[in-house]
Amino acid sequence: MVTLTINGRQHELDVPEQMPLLWALRDVVRLTGTKFGCGIAQCGACTVHLDGEAVRACVTPVSQAQDREITTIEGIADDAVGSRVQRAWLELGVAQCGYCQSGQIMGAAALLKQTASPSDEQIVEAMDGNLCRCGTYSRIRQAIHRAAEHGEESA
Amino acid sequence: MRTLTELSPASAKARADQQGRNKGDGPLARETSDIARQGAPGTTRAHESAVKHVTGRAAYIDDLQAPADALHVALGLSPVAHGRLTRLDLEKVKSAPGVVDVITIVDVPGHTDIGPVFPGDPIFADDEISYVGQCLFAVAAESHQAARRAVTLASVEIDERPASLDPVAAAEREEFVRPTHVQQSGDWQAALSGAAHVIESEQFVGGQEHFYLEGQACLVQPTEDEGVIVHTSNQHPSETQKLVAEVLDIPFHAVTVEMRRMGGGFGGKETQASPWACIAAIIARRTGRTTRVRLPRAEDMRATGKRHPFHNRYQLGFDAQGVLQGGDITVIGDCGYSPDLSEAIVDRAMFHADNAYSLGSARVTGHRAKTHTASNTAFRGFGGPQGMMIIEAAMDDIARRLGQDPLTIRKRNLYRAGRDVTHYGQPVEQLGLLHDLIAQLEQSSDYWARREAVVAHNARNPIIKKGLALTPVKFGISFTAKHLNQAGALLHVYTDGSVMINHGGTEMGQGLHTKVCQVVARELGLDLEQVRISATRTDKVPNTSPTAASSGADLNGQAARDACLTLKARLFDFAAEHFGADRGGLDREGMRLEAGALIAGSGEAERRIPWGELVQAAYLSRISLSEKGFYSTPLIHYDRETAKGRPFYYYAFGAAVAEVSVDTLSGEYLVDRVDILHDVGDSLNPAIDIGQVEGGFIQGMGWLTSEELKWNDAGRLVSDGPATYKIPAFGDLPPVFNVELMQGHPNSQASIYRSKAVGEPPFMLGMAVWSALRDALSSLVDYREAPRLDTPATPERVLMAAEALRQRTLASQEAHHAPA
């Protein structure tokens, strides 16, 4: 048995310890907001937070996620930074097909938790592993700046 | 431009939001955000799934809940490119743990050929093996893992034959998947012989993997009679319906295909989504169990077709001013092993070999070469981009020959009065728009001052060279297969006044559903919140065309509008008699739906009937509140015999300026700045359209720069995942990226509210980056020559082009200094 704390709730899962966290989330806990893109940590669609840091769930075994706070897109609205990111995303109309956007939002929220007001260069560095085939990068960049502004307003 | 409503923290709404979040089911999740309230066409308005996208609640195929006993499918794919299948022993596969069913071609009840337009695509290989990744068999098991493990136990023997992997050689041997087509205008030979200058060149234009982030996926449920319901990530539900029915040997009406949204399509789910649905449907019917297919990324990339690589050649004559007089252009599309959509794709390359320039008297020949790779297919632009690359190469080449700036040569060659008919006989309308657009961008991007700065920079810097280019786009809108230019819609008004619209188009992120809802809201005078759209379903709107050719909003928006107009007329007739009967009824003339009410008369005589009241009254009076709509594009025709006609309802235009910095010792480069001005007529939704322009440009830039498909000598795709195939990432976004929509030029044709299609045209704006790279390289030889630069113009190719220029310069210097 593996015990995972996901979005503040404990889940007892009867899964192998090496099961990728992505499969535990999607197939076992049925939290499908986190997406499969490539399975080799090269696209970022499966990005979730472990203790507030962005990780790729497709290559993170559940054993590594035990005793840590797992946050997924379904729980990010409960986080002050996360909800600001969602709001900025809506204001700027970022998403096109939407498939990578859970991962983008989780990546952006993790960045803003570390760096409240990132520069363009810091955004590129933090987000370069989150691919978007629709090419929404320009709006993602704007939305991260917007979310940072919202953070300053509420500070 | 982007003026979405912001939540005021002081408002009651914001308090309710906060409350909702505390309960863990915030309003974001309930989709009641204010952003949904704005509305009419022409206004910025959030994507209909925006809230779902940011909360993870937008469901894609693999997110759909299936019954606990659902089966998972894995595919057995050919490891060789060409040969004969001599033995396929699947006994160990069948007895593997968890395996429920294993099927090959002999288990297909109906048609075994699932070619979408022309035959040639067997659902499973029978005897002949045609590419690495071709499907040999399928395994259905209790889990995804069990199915994938079982596949590896197959014993496959193939009598391997030499694979044909060179499309040019294939064309010389006349190995084609479809016949060659030729377009001709005027005496091209005379034009060449009479021209002051003639240039000949050739180029290779690479293919492109779609890399939709959501891979191919479907979920098929058996229904109570002999049929199936197919949930699929798919741009062409009606074709999948047809193919599934034919494979199962059942009538079309026994198959329902449902499609809510795709996690990216880009053309890669037009024909390439059907095989998996057909396979899953066979298994679902055989087992009576829901069946799921989800291709792993590497298999997806090997098994499905891509953008066609092209080999292009041209011989063009021009006058002393650099104006084209005519010539001969040949394009060879690498089609892979079967026709798929290659007939129309190579046609579109031919239709766009002129881009925005008059070719003069020209012959354009298109070959469809057969090779042993996956069957190449639709991809944003559909051959158009590959065709345009020829003439853009020529513009640079002519400029260098004459010592002129490439922009000067491009402008001299633009379609203009007296030179306004294409090589296939279609007059180019809106010439003023084309010229204005380029003039505006030339000014707003500060092209000429930056040109001076670039030249000055290059004179000072021997290694890092800057390049600058402006390239236009003229892209023809309409399916070139005439019959596809039709669409249907189904409109329901319920007795609470809420409205449901359904149409044949599919949503893949392009905002089609949002635009169609805006059309309906405008026609019915309603708030956007009152209009909802549901999943595309073949049992709601039948016999639909693929959502492709950028035509989704043009066709389906018009069909939805048609339904609204018919329903409106009926409601007006009813209202005229029903309301105010004591005063002789309402004035039918000038009756309209506006701001949630029916309005009749004006001034003191004006009467307003609230929408809800109107709908209730109509229902009680037994007036139908449901309507279907239909649209077919007028004017278009093309005769393949004479290679003349008007295949396009209209053209969409655009232009981009790109500036690059190239390290000529390593070949590495950066795109420093991009300025775009793009024509969408009167925009249906500026925010969505700008998003399409930005994304299209990025994707087009990726195609021409970093996205390199690599096959090994045995025909196996080795760039089969994001580790080996590089699509643009954040770091590739130009630091300065100015994107504007052209204002003040409504469509000259009566498209939906005079808007223009936007899906594909911006893709080709990426050509500016490629041309800017050539410009930077040209500086190495004082702009006397434009180096050949095949695509993708990877750093390796840029370095090799730079080296070639340097070698030639050295050689000529040595020759110059050699003793006589």
Side-chain angles (χ1 to χ4, degrees):
Chain A
M1 287 299 246
V2 175
T3 306
L4 297 180
T5 308
I6 306 167
N7 302 331
R9 271 186 61 193
Q10 283 215 341
H11 297 262
E12 298 279 325
L13 306 183
D14 184 12
V15 300
E17 290 209 329
Q18 72 275 20
M19 176 183 268
L21 177 59
L22 179 62
W23 301 132
L25 291 171
R26 288 184 54 84
D27 294 353
V28 185
V29 187
R30 293 290 310 158
L31 288 172
T32 56
T34 309
K35 303 303 182 196
F36 169 84
C38 69
I40 52 172
Q42 294 292 313
C43 79
C46 65
T47 306
V48 299
H49 292 181
L50 284 189
D51 293 336
E53 272 185 41
V55 300
R56 308 294 187 230
C58 72
V59 294
T60 305
V62 288
S63 58
Q64 274 184 28
Q66 294 194 92
D67 308 319
R68 302 176 73 177
E69 292 282 338
I70 303 164
T71 309
T72 70
I73 187 70
E74 288 90 349
I76 201 66
D78 292 331
D79 178 277
V81 174
S83 83
R84 283 201 289 273
V85 171
Q86 287 176 310
R87 189 175 134 201
W89 244 247
L90 291 175
E91 286 167 0
L92 292 170
V94 171
Q96 289 184 25
C97 88
Y99 194 81
C100 73
Q101 297 293 341
S102 299
Q104 303 285 1
I105 287 170
M106 298 307 284
L111 166 64
L112 288 166
K113 280 167 178 290
Q114 285 206 330
T115 310
S117 191
S119 64
D120 281 357
E121 291 72 26
Q122 287 171 313
I123 291 172
V124 167
E125 197 173 323
M127 301 293 291
D128 210 31
N130 283 84
L131 299 179
C132 171
R133 191 42 151 168
C134 300
T136 64
Y137 300 125
S138 178
R139 286 200 188 167
I140 291 175
R141 183 167 68 187
Q142 292 171 50
I144 291 174
H145 288 307
R146 177 74 68 91
E149 287 161 21
H150 289 327
E152 283 163 18
E153 286 159 17
S154 62
Chain B
M1 194 67 83
R2 294 171 200 136
T3 54
L4 302 180
T5 306
E6 299 200 19
L7 300 176
S8 156
S11 71
K13 179 88 179 63
R15 282 197 302 279
D17 285 359
Q18 192 53 46
Q19 237 172 2
R21 262 205 296 282
N22 291 343
K23 283 183 286 184
D25 184 25
L28 286 180
R30 295 199 307 275
E31 302 157 33
T32 54
S33 162
D34 268 2
I35 58 157
R37 289 187 193 282
Q38 314 183 6
T43 60
T44 280
R45 146 58 197 146
H47 192 283
E48 44 82 25
S49 290
V51 174
K52 284 174 270 196
H53 285 150
V54 303
T55 54
R57 294 190 181 222
Y60 302 83
I61 297 299
D62 202 41
D63 304 335
L64 300 177
Q65 188 74 272
D69 72 343
L71 295 173
H72 299 257
V73 173
L75 305 170
L77 304 179
S78 167
V80 305
H82 185 211
R84 298 224 164 267
L85 182 62
T86 53
R87 185 162 160 271
L88 183 60
D89 181 353
L90 301 173
E91 284 314 307
K92 284 186 187 158
V93 180
K94 287 176 183 161
S95 57
V99 170
V100 173
D101 198 11
V102 179
I103 60 169
T104 68
I105 191 146
V106 300
D107 302 305
V108 180
H111 291 193
T112 55
D113 193 319
I114 53 171
V117 183
F118 305 101
D121 296 294
I123 181 169
F124 295 111
D126 183 4
D127 176 30
E128 180 166 13
I129 302 285
S130 302
Y131 73 101
V132 178
Q134 187 168 18
C135 206
L136 307 178
F137 65 96
V139 180
E142 303 286 356
S143 73
H144 188 66
Q145 208 172 24
R148 293 194 68 188
R149 281 196 178 135
V151 162
T152 63
L153 302 174
S155 176
V156 181
E157 288 177 16
I158 296 168
D159 176 15
E160 205 170 337
R161 307 267 165 98
S164 165
L165 300 168
D166 177 356
V168 177
E172 279 162 11
R173 294 193 298 268
E174 301 197 342
E175 291 168 7
F176 298 129
V177 296
R178 295 292 303 159
T180 294
H181 184 52
V182 180
Q183 297 164 336
Q184 198 168 317
S185 64
D187 188 341
W188 62 274
Q189 284 161 314
L192 272 181
S193 56
H197 303 271
V198 173
I199 288 189
E200 274 185 66
S201 191
E202 57 186 1
Q203 67 180 172
F204 169 71
V205 179
Q208 188 177 27
E209 158 63 33
H210 301 85
F211 214 94
Y212 26 58
L213 258 284
E214 179 204 30
Q216 300 284 351
C218 66
L219 179 74
V220 179
Q221 301 165 303
T223 55
E224 61 181 11
D225 45 27
E226 78 276 37
V228 285
I229 294 180
V230 180
H231 299 267
T232 165
S233 184
N234 198 313
Q235 290 174 246
H236 198 350
S238 284
E239 186 169 86
T240 296
Q241 177 196 26
K242 165 186 183 284
L243 293 171
V244 166
E246 288 176 350
V247 161
L248 291 177
D249 197 20
I250 58 178
F252 292 10
H253 68 203
V255 177
T256 299
V257 176
E258 174 168 328
M259 161 47 228
R260 176 59 183 91
R261 64 171 65 75
M262 277 166 269
F266 315 115
K269 293 171 181 171
E270 185 174 342
T271 62
Q272 306 293 297
S274 285
W276 333 114
C278 291
I279 290 169
I282 294 169
I283 292 167
R285 283 309 330 165
R286 282 163 63 90
T287 60
R289 290 163 70 169
T290 296
T291 303
R292 197 189 267 295
V293 180
R294 180 190 66 219
L295 295 192
R297 179 63 62 183
E299 288 185 15
D300 192 314
M301 291 179 75
R302 280 199 291 274
T304 63
K306 316 190 178 313
R307 179 186 297 284
H308 292 56
F310 268 72
H311 291 264
N312 299 329
R313 284 196 293 267
Y314 71 81
Q315 185 183 23
L316 291 166
F318 49 96
D319 66 13
Q321 296 301 303
V323 176
L324 288 170
Q325 304 301 300
D328 192 23
I329 289 171
T330 302
V331 303
I332 302 172
D334 181 352
C335 301
Y337 84 97
S338 76
D340 186 75
L341 303 172
S342 294
E343 174 129 310
I345 287 166
V346 175
D347 277 358
R348 190 168 276 269
M350 298 167 68
F351 284 130
H352 288 83
D354 57 343
N355 192 9
Y357 316 109
S358 169
L359 294 179
S361 300
R363 180 176 74 171
V364 178
T365 305
H367 299 298
R368 289 122 178 109
K370 177 178 175 170
T371 55
H372 290 115
T373 63
S375 192
N376 288 321
T377 192
F379 196 145
R380 203 174 196 169
F382 205 74
Q386 296 97 310
M388 285 186 193
M389 284 293 287
I390 304 162
I391 205 67
E392 290 306 330
M395 289 296 128
D396 290 339
D397 296 347
I398 294 169
R400 300 313 174 200
R401 171 74 67 91
L402 297 181
Q404 295 280 346
D405 191 277
L407 177 55
T408 304
I409 297 301
R410 286 188 163 92
K411 285 165 65 179
R412 285 180 188 161
N413 279 288
L414 290 175
Y415 279 106
R416 63 184 65 248
R419 282 173 66 94
D420 61 347
V421 180
T422 65
H423 54 287
Y424 48 89
Q426 174 159 352
V428 180
E429 295 169 0
Q430 294 192 289
L431 293 171
L433 161 59
L434 172 63
H435 289 258
D436 281 1
L437 189 148
I438 285 164
Q440 276 188 35
L441 182 65
E442 198 177 340
Q443 192 167 37
S444 66
S445 70
D446 208 10
Y447 180 90
W448 293 106
R450 287 167 67 200
R451 168 59 70 198
E452 277 182 31
V454 162
V455 170
H457 168 98
N458 290 342
R460 285 193 310 270
N461 292 276
I463 308 301
I464 306 290
K465 297 293 188 183
K466 280 185 168 286
L468 182 71
L470 184 155
T471 57
V473 168
K474 164 186 131 286
F475 192 77
I477 302 299
S478 290
F479 287 98
T480 55
K482 185 177 172 182
H483 70 277
L484 294 178
N485 296 286
Q486 59 174 310
L490 183 62
L491 175 73
H492 297 322
V493 177
Y494 296 99
T495 51
D496 67 346
S498 68
V499 176
M500 173 68 85
I501 182 72
N502 196 274
H503 61 86
T506 57
E507 176 63 40
M508 60 193 105
Q510 81 281 44
L512 169 61
H513 283 356
T514 312
K515 288 180 172 178
V516 171
C517 284
Q518 287 180 281
V519 168
V520 173
R522 167 170 161 167
E523 289 302 329
L524 300 182
L526 296 174
D527 192 285
L528 208 49
E529 261 201 336
Q530 287 168 275
V531 181
R532 184 160 291 194
I533 205 152
S534 63
T536 309
R537 276 179 68 115
T538 54
D539 60 354
K540 284 198 169 181
V541 177
N543 312 324
T544 57
S545 296
T547 307
S550 306
S551 65
D554 281 19
L555 297 175
N556 295 289
Q558 291 279 27
R561 180 165 182 263
D562 179 52
C564 292
L565 292 178
T566 310
L567 181 68
K568 254 161 70 164
R570 186 154 69 235
L571 288 173
F572 289 169
D573 290 344
F574 160 72
E577 285 197 4
H578 180 82
F579 294 100
D582 50 337
R583 280 167 292 167
L586 298 183
D587 184 6
R588 175 72 173 76
E589 281 292 302
M591 204 177 261
R592 59 206 184 272
L593 293 172
E594 239 175 58
L598 179 146
I599 302 170
S602 58
E604 284 191 6
E606 184 182 291
R607 284 285 313 274
R608 301 177 79 93
I609 316 290
W611 171 251
E613 191 185 324
L614 172 69
V615 166
Q616 279 284 332
Y619 170 72
L620 292 172
S621 303
R622 302 185 295 174
I623 300 296
S624 169
L625 293 170
S626 176
E627 194 53 60
K628 72 173 172 57
F630 187 78
Y631 177 74
S632 64
T633 311
L635 301 179
I636 50 176
H637 60 93
Y638 181 69
D639 179 354
R640 280 186 80 77
E641 292 297 312
T642 60
K644 288 274 186 282
R646 180 203 176 105
F648 305 117
Y649 189 33
Y650 61 87
Y651 295 104
F653 300 96
V657 176
E659 183 174 333
V660 299
S661 298
V662 180
D663 179 338
T664 54
L665 289 183
S666 72
E668 288 181 288
Y669 54 83
L670 293 171
V671 179
D672 302 318
R673 174 175 164 182
V674 170
D675 296 75
I676 290 172
L677 185 57
H678 195 80
D679 155 44
V680 293
D682 283 347
S683 175
L684 287 174
N685 184 320
I688 283 177
D689 287 350
I690 288 175
Q692 286 297 299
V693 175
E694 291 177 346
F697 168 82
I698 295 278
Q699 206 172 60
M701 177 180 74
W703 166 56
L704 292 173
T705 57
S706 67
E707 298 187 31
E708 186 164 37
L709 293 165
K710 282 278 195 188
W711 288 266
N712 67 14
D713 292 343
R716 182 187 175 90
L717 183 73
V718 290
S719 52
D720 62 357
T724 45
Y725 184 79
K726 190 187 174 318
I727 69 169
F730 255 95
D732 300 305
L733 176 63
V736 181
F737 191 27
N738 300 316
V739 179
E740 300 281 341
L741 299 180
M742 184 73 180
Q743 303 295 326
H745 288 272
N747 196 338
S748 59
Q749 293 299 329
S751 60
I752 183 79
Y753 307 136
R754 303 279 171 176
S755 65
K756 285 190 181 182
V758 71
E760 292 164 296
F763 179 89
M764 286 142 277
L765 297 169
M767 292 187 302
V769 173
W770 172 78
S771 182
L773 289 171
R774 288 187 91 199
D775 185 59
L777 288 166
S778 280
S779 73
L780 289 171
V781 287
D782 292 332
Y783 300 105
R784 288 190 311 271
E785 186 182 340
R788 176 169 170 175
L789 185 62
D790 290 346
T791 71
T794 56
E796 290 91 328
R797 282 208 171 99
V798 170
L799 177 61
M800 290 196 300
E803 282 301 303
L805 289 175
R806 285 204 187 93
Q807 292 300 331
R808 272 209 294 287
T809 308
L810 281 176
S812 71
Q813 280 169 357
E814 278 166 19
H816 189 68
H817 294 301

